[in-house]
Amino acid sequence: MANPSNTTGAEAVDTAISKGLDLDGSQIPAPKLNLYNQIMGLEGNRQRSGVSNTMRSRIVRIGAKHLAQAELNQMLLDADFAPLKDKEVAFYYGGK
């Protein structure tokens, strides 16, 4: 079983994937690992449009899991990012 201190943050997930192990120490099935690596390879080759856009996308994707819509929207505005788009609100907050 994995040490709980090694199961937090994105780095823990990346490390586990690179070892082919889930956070509980069990083996990740080869088909799942192969598909993940295939898709991440495609993403790794994609041309980027800018760091600011990527930062905003990550903030929205992760922030929506932890923050209320109005709070996240205000935080975006306070940091001089574009506010939440209608499609983001529908996707991340539509079912809540």
Side-chain angles (χ1 to χ4, degrees):
M1 185 151 196
N3 180 340
S5 65
N6 296 331
T7 61
T8 59
E11 295 82 16
V13 172
D14 291 340
T15 298
I17 291 169
S18 71
K19 293 178 180 179
L21 300 173
D22 205 327
L23 294 175
D24 65 3
S26 63
Q27 189 75 34
I28 298 171
K32 289 182 179 181
L33 194 57
N34 292 339
L35 177 58
Y36 176 84
N37 288 327
Q38 178 184 355
I39 298 302
M40 291 304 107
L42 294 171
E43 181 65 10
N45 292 325
R46 185 173 62 89
Q47 181 64 41
R48 305 299 177 178
S49 60
V51 172
S52 186
N53 289 339
T54 300
M55 288 173 58
R56 186 191 175 283
S57 294
R58 290 177 180 176
I59 290 166
V60 170
R61 184 181 77 239
I62 296 167
K65 295 176 188 176
H66 303 282
L67 302 167
Q69 176 185 334
E71 184 178 6
L72 178 57
N73 196 55
Q74 188 60 55
M75 292 170 86
L76 287 167
L77 292 170
D78 291 347
D80 203 26
F81 282 110
L84 290 169
K85 300 171 188 170
D86 289 342
K87 67 180 185 177
E88 292 169 332
V89 171
F91 183 80
Y92 293 110
Y93 293 101
K96 292 183 179 181

